[in-house]
Structures are given as structure tokens and as C-alpha cells.
Amino acid sequence: MDLIKWKPTELFDPLAEFDRIREEFDRIFGMEPMITGLFDRVRSPAIDLVENDDAFVVTCDLPGVELKDLEVSIANNVLTIKGEKKDTREVKDAKVYRQESWFGSFQRTLSLPNTVDPDKIEAVMKDGVLKVTLPKKEEVKPKQIAVKVS
Amino acid sequence: MAKELEGKTRRVVSPVADICEAGGKVILRLEMPGVSKDDLDVKIENDELIIEGKREPTDSKGRFIIRERRNADFARRYTLDDTIDRDKVEAVMKNGVLHLTLHLKEASKPKKIEVKTK
């Protein structure tokens, strides 16, 4: 389950437009969600969750996030990625012409099935992309069963 | 065949950009997560600043449960006017963010003209 709704950050994103139109409809017809996530924000990092035979792989775009500002944890099969994105430009009294990015704290949580081995999780940060590999427990990995002809 | 085609028709998105000016410099900050220094191409061609970044395609092995990241390369172009010094462009890539510093030409720094009242 996603606690935090993701909104695309790219400009002129047709998918975002559809989202916006749907939200507008929801607003007009009074179908606004009564419940929103506690850590909902306008924008939060985009993630991919892929399942393959051996593991679940979470990939998260975190451009400009320093390793020291990032925290990845797992408790009761809930993976939490949280941190803070800081403005790294060292300028004072700047005249801002365009500001498309966001800065601040973010958090995303993902519920994972209990087939994940919490002791073998690996997280790697490279070029602003976080990749968390969550291997499945040995006993749940699919096994090839040879079918014999009798 | 399909893979070959996929490689050729890879989509391109604009990186998220912040642009500001301070102390005779124009600073661009472009977010290009997944782009390494070697996969980045920044050039100036005919008064155009061209920024292109290639990144690894998202993992196609396995089943996507959540798919929010765009499987695309980054590209953005800006036109430059004559006040920008073409020979003094600095580019730093760190944590998937490109910091570009463009300098304004010394001669074209604005001279303040005093407005008098009669």
C-alpha cells in the first residue's frame, strides 16, 4: 500500500494532466478523498517496484539527495525510504527565473509480502538513484520441477 | 527486433530545472537522476545550449508492481543571448544533478543609467 501519492515532476506530462482532470472532476462532484496520507506532499520521489524470481527491487529517483540525508529501514515488512532534499546551490540574493524542483523532507513506505528476507536487503545509491534489492526467502523461490515421463 | 526498435524510439523527457542569476553568473540546476558523468553531453551550438543525458533503461526483467519512473532519456535546450560568455561555462555533475554555471560577458554587464527628473 502506498501511503504517499506520487505526482510526476516532469513538465508537460500528459499523465499528470489526466490526473489533474480527474482531480478536478472529483472536486466538482464532491468526490474528494476524505482521507489523505499523513506525509502527503505536493511531490514525492518516483519509485518503481519490480518483482522477479529472486527478489523485489525498489528503484527510487532521488536527485540531489546526499547519502547522509537518506534513511532506508524495514520493520514488519514495511520498507520506509525517507530523507531530506536540500538546495545545494550556494548563492545568496539570487534572482530566480525558474523553479521547477522541490526541496524538503520526503517519505515513502511500501508494504512487502512476508517472503522478504530482512537480513539480506541491499541498498545502493548511484547518480541520484536509490536501488534497494530485497531478496526473497529461499523457501519461497520458485523451483523447477522436472517432469518425468513414466 | 522489438528490443532494437525500443532502443531507437526511446523517449526523451525534460529534466526538472531551476534557473537563477547571482553575481554576474547564471546558475542552472537540472535534475537528471540515473545519469552519470560519462552519459552526459553538454554543448553550445549556434546560440543554443544543449543538454542531453542518457540513462539505463528501467529493469525489464520481472513484473512491475509499481511503475512511476519514466523510462526515458533527458534532453533540454536553451537559447543563449549575446550577454553569455560562451567560453566560460562550468558543469558539475553530482548525485544525479547537473550544476551549470554560465558567466555574463564583462562588457555586457549592465551599466546603470541614472534617470534624472527635470
Side-chain angles (χ1 to χ4, degrees), chain A residues 2 6 9-11 13 45-52 56 59-66 85 87-89 91-101 103 108 110 127-129, chain B residues 13-23 26-29 31-37 55-56 58-59 61-70 74 76 78 94-97 99:
Chain A
D2 275 323
W6 174 75
T9 52
E10 269 95 9
L11 289 178
D13 186 340
I47 65 158
D48 279 351
L49 173 59
V50 176
E51 181 186 2
N52 57 41
F56 290 93
T59 318
C60 184
D61 281 345
L62 296 168
V65 177
E66 298 274 343
K85 190 161 167 260
D87 188 353
T88 46
R89 289 171 301 180
V91 284
K92 280 175 194 161
D93 306 321
K95 280 182 263 175
V96 177
Y97 289 106
R98 195 178 260 275
Q99 180 75 38
E100 294 167 1
S101 72
F103 300 105
R108 288 210 64 166
L110 287 170
D127 300 321
V129 177
Chain B
V13 290
S14 288
V16 167
D18 299 334
I19 303 168
C20 69
E21 186 193 325
V26 178
I27 297 154
L28 281 85
R29 184 187 173 282
E31 293 188 351
M32 302 163 99
V35 177
S36 70
K37 205 180 111 225
R55 63 173 176 173
E56 275 178 40
T58 52
D59 202 355
K61 285 171 280 174
R63 186 171 66 92
F64 276 92
I65 300 167
I66 301 171
R67 188 170 201 169
E68 297 169 349
R69 297 171 69 235
R70 304 288 291 273
F74 292 110
R76 199 150 185 175
Y78 293 99
K94 200 187 168 208
N95 295 331
V97 177
H99 291 260

Side-chain angles (χ1 to χ4, degrees), chain B:
Chain B
M1 174 67 196
K3 189 153 191 169
E4 201 175 291
L5 202 69
E6 197 178 86
K8 276 178 190 159
T9 54
R10 195 159 154 81
R11 285 190 303 154
V12 166
V13 290
S14 288
V16 167
D18 299 334
I19 303 168
C20 69
E21 186 193 325
K25 287 184 245 174
V26 178
I27 297 154
L28 281 85
R29 184 187 173 282
L30 294 117
E31 293 188 351
M32 302 163 99
V35 177
S36 70
K37 205 180 111 225
D38 304 321
D39 298 325
L40 180 74
D41 193 18
V42 182
K43 59 190 171 198
I44 294 172
E45 232 177 66
N46 305 329
D47 294 337
E48 259 189 10
L49 174 67
I50 302 163
I51 300 142
E52 284 168 348
K54 294 217 178 329
R55 63 173 176 173
E56 275 178 40
T58 52
D59 202 355
S60 55
K61 285 171 280 174
R63 186 171 66 92
F64 276 92
I65 300 167
I66 301 171
R67 188 170 201 169
E68 297 169 349
R69 297 171 69 235
R70 304 288 291 273
N71 188 10
D73 289 330
F74 292 110
R76 199 150 185 175
R77 281 164 182 253
Y78 293 99
T79 49
L80 300 176
D81 62 16
D82 287 336
T83 59
I84 303 290
D85 191 341
R86 266 84 167 146
D87 303 320
K88 262 169 87 180
V89 179
E90 292 156 34
V92 179
M93 190 75 182
K94 200 187 168 208
N95 295 331
V97 177
L98 171 67
H99 291 260
L100 272 178
T101 310
L102 310 175
H103 293 262
L104 294 175
K105 277 181 194 163
E106 207 58 47
S108 61
K109 274 185 191 164
K111 275 189 203 90
K112 194 158 178 161
I113 298 157
E114 209 177 319
V115 181
K116 286 172 196 159
T117 47
K118 269 188 178 172

Side-chain angles (χ1 to χ4, degrees), chain A residues 32-52:
Chain A
E32 272 181 276
M34 297 298 283
I35 301 168
T36 55
L38 188 59
F39 302 106
D40 258 6
R41 50 173 302 134
V42 179
R43 273 154 184 179
S44 55
I47 65 158
D48 279 351
L49 173 59
V50 176
E51 181 186 2
N52 57 41

